[in-house]
Amino acid sequence: DAGHEGWLGWKSNMKEYVATIRSLNVSSHLRGFATNVAGYQALGVMCPTYDFCLNNAHPEHACCVDPCGLIEQWNPSQNEHNYALHLREAMSEGIPSFMPHVIIDTGRNGVADERQRCSNWCNVRGAGVGLLPSTETADKDIIDAYWWLKTPGECDGCTQTLPDGSFCPRFDADCASEDSIGSASGEPRAPEAGVWFDYQIKQLAANAKMF
C-alpha cells in the first residue's frame, strides 16, 4: 500500500518512502504497489512526466487539473495517474533494478471535486463509484489495473451516535468532518467501519462514473 498523492506525493515524502522500502530489502519480492486504497483521490489525466505541472508550467493542460490544490503546495503528483508516474520513477531511481507496477483503487473516486478539504477521508458526501475494474489503463507499462480494493458501500467509520442511537465506541473525529455523511442535518448516522452503509452506496451509485 503506497497511500496516495495527498500523503506521499511531495518529493521529500516520496524520498523517505523509497528509503523505507529500500531498507526493508524486499524489492526483489514485490511486483509493485496499490494506491488510493479505500480513498477518494481522482484518477485525472496522466501527464508526460510526473512533475509536468510544477511552477505553473502548463496551467491549461488537462493533466494539470488540480481539485485539491496540491500543485501550489509543491506537490508534483496531483492526481492518481501522475502519482503512479512519480512512484515508478522515484523507486526505479532509488532502488537498483526495481521497476514497480501499480494498481489503483477506483471504487470511490469517480468525482474529483466533492470535498471541501481533500484531507477528509471518512464517508465522503457526494462521492461516486469510479472506473470499473479493468486492465485497460492509461499506461499499461506502469499501471497493471484499476480495481475496487475496498468494496463500495462499506462504511469507513461510525458517527459518534450509531444508527440505533447508541454510542460508537470506536468513533474517530475525522468521521464528523464537514465532508462526512452524518455530519449534516437530516443525514442518517453512519454504522461501524466495514458495515454496509446503504445511504452511502446509493450516493456512490447516483454519482458513478464507471466508464
Side-chain angles (χ1 to χ4, degrees):
D1 188 338
H4 58 64
E5 68 274 12
W7 291 339
L8 297 175
W10 285 268
K11 291 183 180 182
S12 58
N13 292 12
M14 181 63 74
K15 184 177 180 179
E16 291 182 11
Y17 186 53
V18 171
T20 297
I21 299 300
R22 185 171 58 241
S23 71
L24 296 173
N25 197 30
V26 295
S27 61
S28 62
H29 303 288
L30 298 179
R31 166 82 177 167
F33 301 93
T35 71
N36 197 44
V37 177
Y40 297 88
Q41 302 298 116
L43 282 176
V45 175
M46 184 176 281
C47 287
T49 63
Y50 79 87
D51 55 358
F52 183 78
C53 303
L54 280 184
N55 297 311
N56 201 34
H58 305 92
E60 304 304 320
H61 199 289
C63 76
C64 293
V65 172
D66 185 17
C68 290
L70 293 174
I71 296 170
E72 64 187 29
Q73 300 175 47
W74 287 93
N75 184 330
S77 39
Q78 89 290 357
N79 64 45
E80 279 297 302
H81 279 141
N82 290 340
Y83 181 57
L85 282 176
H86 191 181
L87 192 63
R88 162 66 82 89
E89 182 167 325
M91 288 289 173
S92 62
E93 289 180 353
I95 303 175
S97 302
F98 185 40
M99 296 289 286
H101 294 246
V102 176
I103 57 174
I104 302 173
D105 188 347
T106 57
R108 304 185 301 176
N109 71 347
V111 179
D113 57 355
E114 77 278 27
R115 288 173 287 180
Q116 296 182 52
R117 296 178 58 204
C118 284
S119 59
N120 291 332
W121 56 267
C122 186
N123 302 324
V124 171
R125 180 186 304 108
V129 168
L131 293 182
L132 289 169
S134 175
T135 56
E136 295 298 319
T137 67
D139 187 333
K140 294 181 182 181
D141 289 334
I142 300 173
I143 303 170
D144 282 348
Y146 306 127
W147 198 254
W148 294 359
L149 296 168
K150 179 181 174 74
T151 302
E154 285 186 356
C155 190
D156 290 320
C158 53
T159 44
Q160 193 164 12
T161 302
L162 290 167
D164 65 4
S166 63
F167 176 77
C168 180
R170 290 181 285 186
F171 170 67
D172 186 318
D174 284 350
C175 292
S177 78
E178 65 268 43
D179 290 314
S180 297
I181 297 170
S183 65
S185 176
E187 290 181 331
R189 304 303 92 182
E192 293 266 17
V195 174
W196 188 252
F197 193 3
D198 187 69
Y199 185 88
Q200 184 189 43
I201 189 59
K202 288 175 179 174
Q203 278 200 357
L204 290 168
N207 298 323
K209 294 180 175 65
M210 296 187 289
F211 305 100

